[in-house]
Amino acid sequence: MNKIYDFDQVIDRRSTNSIKVDSLQDVFGRADLIPLWVADMDFLSPPEITEAMKIRVEHGVFGYVKTDEAYYSSIINWLKNKHEWAVDKKELSFIPGVVKGIAFAIDEFTNTDDKVIIQPPVYPPFKGTTKGLNRAVINNPLIFENGQYRMDFDNLREIAKLDCKILILCNPHNPGGRVWTKEELKELAEICYDNEILVISDEIHSDLALPGFKHTPFATVSEKAAQNCITLMAPSKTFNIAGIVSSFAVIENVEIRKRYFNYLDARQLGEGTIFGYLAAQYAYEYGEEWLNQAIAYIDNNVKFVDRYFKQNIPQIKAIIPEASFLIWLDCRDLNLAQPELESLFVEKAGLALNSGTFFGKEGKGFMRLNVGCPQSTLKKAMDNLKKAVVL
Ligand SMILES: Cc1ncc(COP(=O)(O)O)c(C=O)c1O
């Protein structure tokens, strides 16, 4: 009999320095909001990880650690079993975060003022790191059609001629939750390869494909993709261990790998910590059943929210995600300007969500809801929202 994990349990995260909870006052001006913003979950992480860390804590000596073979093999086996992706140990390196990994790639493979393509609405640090490093952001906005997003390949072909150096792909996409298909990724790979645009594929949400969808690693769709990309992954979203930091890069192409890994080596950025290695290894070795149950719970939360909107607040539509625990809400039928929309959620409903425009101006009229929480929390949030919209 499989162990049953309890995702209904409500855990008090206050005073743990959790950004999601303990930064409410600073960010929203109120500490009493229901936190449904920052992309981590309110669930206990798999106890198998916690137990392994407890044992290590009990040892009491925390000197320098080497990268264990078991760490590498846990990742290699996970990628093979979960994503049918055969990766060799030499293609792998620890990195201290996916966003940092993106910044390293921009730093190494572009010069100041070079152009980097992003596809908004998208996770804001794609733009932030690019601009922060004084590179130019070129937008290839996604097309919202029939209630879902798709990539604009015609526009990309035009932009690609502008001597762009990198495209940052969000695979699966945040927000919007698209699990890009093999065909879509193949077309993207073709355009980028032919125009010498290196693809940085952020696959941090890849393990969280919801029922009926299957993640495709960008590197696996064609030889053009495999030879022209850096893939960045992590167990952080998957197993709710973002605060531990245990991301990694996978690079098949020898030249790209040499440059990226040399960049890491020169700055000692490819070295992890005791708990980063340990948590990743135990997550990948022992976390699968927990993940299956977490995905089923999230899927049920998505359905709950969708049903609730349809029955009670039809002015707001849930864009059903194909992956992960974030729901992109189409609030345009409320006919509110963005500040009023934000105020409706915060001031009237007492809810902390990410505003759509946080992800680019293309997010106007949208809000992002995190459903990685007990359903009782969501129920309270939806009841608050219903009152706020109706009254
Ligand atoms: C698409 C995407 N990439 C990266 C991150 C953050 O990754 P890290 O904490 O490893 O930098 C997030 C977190 O929300 C994300 O949604």
Side-chain angles (χ1 to χ4, degrees):
M1 246 270 295
N2 283 333
K3 186 171 173 179
I4 305 294
Y5 300 94
D6 181 10
F7 298 97
D8 283 324
Q9 189 184 352
V10 176
I11 295 156
D12 187 355
R13 295 184 64 186
R14 285 173 301 173
S15 303
T16 61
N17 285 334
S18 134
I19 296 178
K20 195 181 193 177
V21 177
D22 290 328
S23 293
L24 285 171
Q25 179 70 45
D26 289 346
V27 176
F28 294 90
R30 278 176 59 172
D32 62 341
L33 305 175
I34 301 179
L36 303 161
W37 57 311
V38 176
D40 62 29
M41 302 189 276
D42 295 332
F43 307 137
L44 286 177
S45 298
E48 293 77 4
I49 301 176
T50 312
E51 280 308 313
M53 292 203 294
K54 267 189 196 163
I55 292 169
R56 191 63 185 82
V57 164
E58 283 299 319
H59 183 260
V61 179
F62 307 113
Y64 292 114
V65 286
K66 69 184 181 68
T67 323
D68 195 357
E69 279 305 314
Y71 164 77
Y72 288 116
S73 52
S74 69
I75 296 177
I76 290 167
N77 290 336
W78 181 264
L79 295 180
K80 191 157 188 288
N81 296 334
K82 182 95 184 149
H83 300 301
E84 292 152 40
W85 188 16
V87 163
D88 196 274
K89 181 182 157 187
K90 66 175 183 298
E91 299 168 359
L92 278 173
S93 174
F94 175 93
I95 51 168
V98 166
V99 174
K100 294 180 186 76
I102 293 171
F104 303 154
I106 294 172
D107 202 19
E108 174 61 22
F109 291 96
T110 67
N111 295 311
T112 304
D113 296 331
D114 273 349
K115 302 183 187 88
V116 174
I117 303 172
I118 64 169
Q119 307 195 93
V122 74
Y123 181 59
F126 284 16
K127 179 178 172 182
T129 46
T130 303
K131 290 193 91 155
L133 290 165
N134 298 314
R135 272 63 167 177
V137 174
I138 303 289
N139 287 322
N140 181 46
L142 298 177
I143 296 173
F144 189 62
E145 202 174 63
N146 302 325
Q148 197 44 282
Y149 285 99
R150 64 176 174 85
M151 294 191 221
D152 188 344
F153 291 120
D154 292 337
N155 190 52
L156 183 60
R157 277 190 194 85
E158 290 308 309
I159 291 171
K161 293 177 196 151
L162 301 174
D163 196 27
C164 297
K165 295 289 191 291
I166 280 181
L167 179 141
I168 313 174
L169 170 68
C170 200
N171 178 35
H173 196 83
N174 169 22
R178 273 301 314 281
V179 169
W180 304 115
T181 64
K182 237 176 235 176
E183 291 65 36
E184 287 172 305
L185 295 174
K186 234 179 185 167
E187 190 160 355
L188 185 81
E190 182 93 12
I191 299 170
C192 289
Y193 184 92
D194 293 352
N195 289 281
E196 295 180 27
I197 297 168
L198 175 65
V199 176
I200 311 301
S201 189
D202 175 339
E203 306 198 0
I204 200 166
H205 294 279
S206 58
D207 299 325
L208 288 158
L210 292 169
F213 295 92
K214 179 145 175 49
H215 171 73
T216 305
F218 175 75
T220 64
V221 298
S222 66
E223 197 50 22
K224 285 186 175 178
Q227 295 308 322
N228 185 41
C229 80
I230 295 175
T231 305
L232 306 176
M233 296 180 132
S236 54
K237 301 284 169 205
T238 318
F239 299 102
N240 206 28
I241 53 172
I244 293 175
V245 181
S246 48
S247 318
F248 59 94
V250 188
I251 310 174
E252 186 171 330
N253 178 276
V254 180
E255 291 309 314
I256 299 170
R257 186 165 72 227
K258 220 195 248 169
R259 280 184 68 180
Y260 193 79
F261 286 9
N262 281 349
Y263 181 98
L264 296 175
D265 284 347
R267 295 158 183 81
Q268 300 205 346
L269 292 165
E271 293 176 9
T273 65
I274 296 175
F275 295 107
Y277 289 138
L278 196 66
Q281 182 198 325
Y282 275 76
Y284 289 137
E285 282 184 3
Y286 301 103
E288 190 171 9
E289 181 54 31
W290 180 95
L291 176 60
N292 290 340
Q293 292 181 30
I295 287 174
Y297 194 91
I298 293 163
D299 187 48
N300 195 35
N301 276 355
V302 170
K303 290 186 171 120
F304 166 76
V305 164
D306 181 45
R307 225 175 16 245
Y308 196 102
F309 280 125
K310 283 181 173 142
Q311 289 170 0
N312 299 288
I313 323 174
Q315 302 94 317
I316 300 179
K317 289 173 202 69
I319 311 303
I320 305 299
E322 298 171 354
S324 210
F325 49 87
L326 307 164
I327 307 186
W328 194 231
L329 302 179
D330 184 349
C331 308
R332 290 174 299 173
D333 284 350
L334 289 171
N335 289 314
L336 296 174
Q338 201 68 19
E340 292 163 15
L341 180 61
E342 290 165 12
S343 168
L344 171 78
F345 278 81
V346 175
E347 306 305 335
K348 283 183 86 177
L351 307 179
L353 276 75
N354 292 103
S355 179
T357 47
F358 182 55
F359 302 87
K361 65 177 179 352
E362 298 76 6
K364 192 164 162 273
F366 290 81
M367 298 291 285
R368 195 191 71 176
L369 172 71
N370 182 339
V371 298
C373 59
Q375 200 167 103
S376 58
T377 307
L378 269 186
K379 168 91 171 63
K380 210 164 17 163
M382 298 301 284
D383 288 345
N384 283 7
L385 188 57
K386 179 179 162 186
K387 271 188 224 135
V389 172
V390 173
L391 295 181

